[in-house]
Amino acid sequence: MSNHLDGSVSRYLLQHADNPVDWYPWGDEALARARTEDKPIFLSIGYAACHWCHVMAHESFEDPDTATTMNAHYVCIKVDREERPDLDSVYMAAVVALTGQGGWPLSVFLTPDLQPFYGGTYFPPEPRQGMPGFPQLLHTLADAWRNRRADITRAGAQVVAQLVSQSTSGTAEGTFDVGTLTTAVHDLVEHYDWDSGGWGMAPKFPQPMAIEFLLRRHLAGDTTALAPAVHALRAMVRGGMWDVIGGGFARYSTDNSWHVPHFEKMLYDNAQLARAYLHAWQVTSEASFRHVAEETLTFVTREMTTPQGAFLSSLDADSEGAEGRYYVWSLEEIRATLGKDADLFTEAYGVTAGGTWEGTNVLQRSVDNATLAAHHSIVQGDVDALLDNCRTRLLKVRGKRVRPAADDTVLTAWNGLMLASFAEAARALGDQRYLDVAIRNADFLLTALRPDGQLRRTWREGTTGPKAYLDDYASLILGLLELYQTDFNNRWFVAVRLLAEEMLARFTDPAGGFFDTPDRAEQLLIRPKDLQDNAVPSGNALAAEALLTLAALTGHTEWRKLAEKSLDLVTDLVTRYPTGFGRWLCAGDFDLAKEMQVAIVGDPADKRTMELVGEVRMAWRPNLVVAASPTPLPPGVPDLLADRPIVDGQPTAYVCEGFACHQLVTRPEDLREQLR
């Protein structure tokens, strides 16, 4: 028998629609019932690809006895953190305040007036490793609600007071300047793990935003910044967290050496890592970085793109009831598939009869090409081609396995991140296929996710979810800006202007920065304003970057001032915790750099126009913006193009710094010299 989730848009909520727990979605019906019946609320927040969410569901939420207890004593509410990041932000902060740590599944007990009084993450079905058993916890808290109500009310009030204090307290004083960037680089270099790569200890997460920042600072002349960025990228791509057979990255590594991943694949990780590897290739010319970027985008196109051109949210870690089963191999399978090439492949990737993880093999490159060539009496230059052939054959065999479930919810914010990656790859690599993917995605987002002119956060099977949040607006704006600078279709820039005005009207905090939720949104305990970058960039960091880019293209100084006011909010934080503020650091680097704008006027079909555009794209210039258009200029083009005539009937380029322009040029070699 279904509960109250069966009409949900969210894939995650639908996964729980047949639980014996009488789940409600967050909404008036559930909240009114809690008040009417004077019952506490059990709030469970997770997402479709969350492995431990599945474990707790199987152990507890599918258990009839546990469900009976939950239904008798609580109003039970399920929330998809991807659909409602505002609820996740508020109650994650509450659990961190209560326990010192958070994660998913997020399990929070609330009073009927929504004050959190107890919380945690995963709870086992019986006491284990210092954690109470979930049934035991349910009974204990139900008894406290009946007999020690004052204690619960007091605990809830204390948590709310702490949340309100945190949300209204000012950040440390300071001005975001070049010294801020230098201090952050020093900290990232000093705390880098030169043994295994990356930052921190297991579980070890990729840090694409920090890597992007280091690449930027290398281009700015910091001689210490490149080495850790390159080392981290090489470490991650040996395999394990990187899927050497099918491409794409898993969520994180469970060990320090990037070998055994948590196997779920998230759209946002692959969007950011594809871009980091692309930029690293542009900076270093290291071919393996380009290969990883291309393979990641190929994976997304093959396995995470809908027929309509939207990008799926995630692929599950589990298949056939086991984590990672889709991705791991036995020695026998590899020998049966590869035949005479099996010895080369198994040596290259450390495959053993006993396995490298739970009796199976997680592939990770362990022997270099020179050693393989010597051991197998082959030419070293042929090794890569042979291994590529092996991977292709293994991918075909793997394709016959039961695939991990996909969360086919389309999230505007995450699609914006991936849109930017495809758009930038299209122009950096000159690949029309990537541009086609980007255009279809942008068209989908501006139509299906914007019914009646209202941007929405989610879409699934033709139905849209709640109104968009700050990160949806900012991420989509940045994705469209990258696409505009790739194909110069003015439709994208016109849409960006409109979205930016809406974002400013709905999210601006007069005290600086932006709220995560729009004006007139549902009233929660606090109006969240999350500044920290997590696995996805902070909406505030994205908004600051979007406004800086728009200011560079339009000359609107007010937008720049708003962005700089936001940067000042995090000055102290970015130097103390740079891995938690990587996108902010990138935005700050852009703001403080010697800003360069290029305006190109000329027929885009003219070979001479494209030669000028090609000069701009010869290198990664992260602090350069470009606008191009035929004449006469269509309405709504970037202000950078205004009053830039074609000279002598030839396509013409104007290189500007802060809207003060150098001598116009018509020859590619002259443009190349000015760009230097």
Side-chain angles (χ1 to χ4, degrees), residues 106-306:
L106 189 65
S107 304
V108 200
F109 293 84
L110 318 177
T111 64
D113 59 356
L114 309 185
Q115 293 191 348
F117 61 87
Y118 191 89
T121 54
Y122 162 79
F123 290 106
E126 64 282 319
R128 186 189 307 160
Q129 296 177 336
M131 292 184 288
F134 189 58
Q136 170 194 2
L137 181 63
L138 293 170
H139 286 292
T140 299
L141 293 177
D143 178 74
W145 180 255
R146 289 190 302 270
N147 300 313
R148 299 188 301 280
R149 181 76 62 92
D151 293 340
I152 282 180
T153 303
R154 189 181 308 110
Q158 289 173 348
V159 174
V160 172
Q162 184 171 343
L163 295 180
V164 171
S165 175
Q166 290 172 351
S167 69
T168 57
S169 62
T171 57
E173 295 181 3
T175 300
F176 202 112
D177 56 22
V178 174
T180 308
L181 304 178
T182 303
T183 300
V185 172
H186 176 77
D187 185 275
L188 288 170
V189 174
E190 184 178 13
H191 292 96
Y192 186 75
D193 178 2
W194 291 104
D195 293 326
S196 301
W199 290 267
M201 302 295 289
K204 188 167 270 187
F205 290 84
Q207 299 288 348
M209 291 174 267
I211 291 169
E212 291 270 20
F213 169 64
L214 290 172
L215 293 174
R216 282 173 166 269
R217 295 314 295 164
H218 163 72
L219 293 178
D222 192 318
T223 57
T224 67
L226 182 62
V230 169
H231 188 274
L233 293 168
R234 289 172 181 161
M236 287 190 292
V237 82
R238 289 198 308 269
M241 213 189 82
W242 163 252
D243 180 358
V244 298
I245 300 299
F249 288 87
R251 174 76 277 270
Y252 61 83
S253 174
T254 62
D255 57 82
N256 283 329
S257 61
W258 305 100
H259 184 201
V260 179
H262 184 40
F263 289 91
E264 65 187 359
K265 289 182 175 179
M266 308 301 296
L267 182 66
Y268 54 74
D269 285 319
N270 286 283
Q272 295 176 94
L273 286 164
R275 212 169 176 196
Y277 279 90
L278 177 70
H279 293 158
W281 166 70
Q282 291 177 288
V283 170
T284 68
S285 299
E286 189 167 318
S288 64
F289 293 156
R290 173 174 178 164
H291 173 77
V292 172
E294 291 177 320
E295 287 295 299
T296 302
L297 296 176
T298 297
F299 152 72
V300 171
T301 304
R302 183 182 67 242
E303 298 189 34
M304 297 190 74
T305 305
T306 72

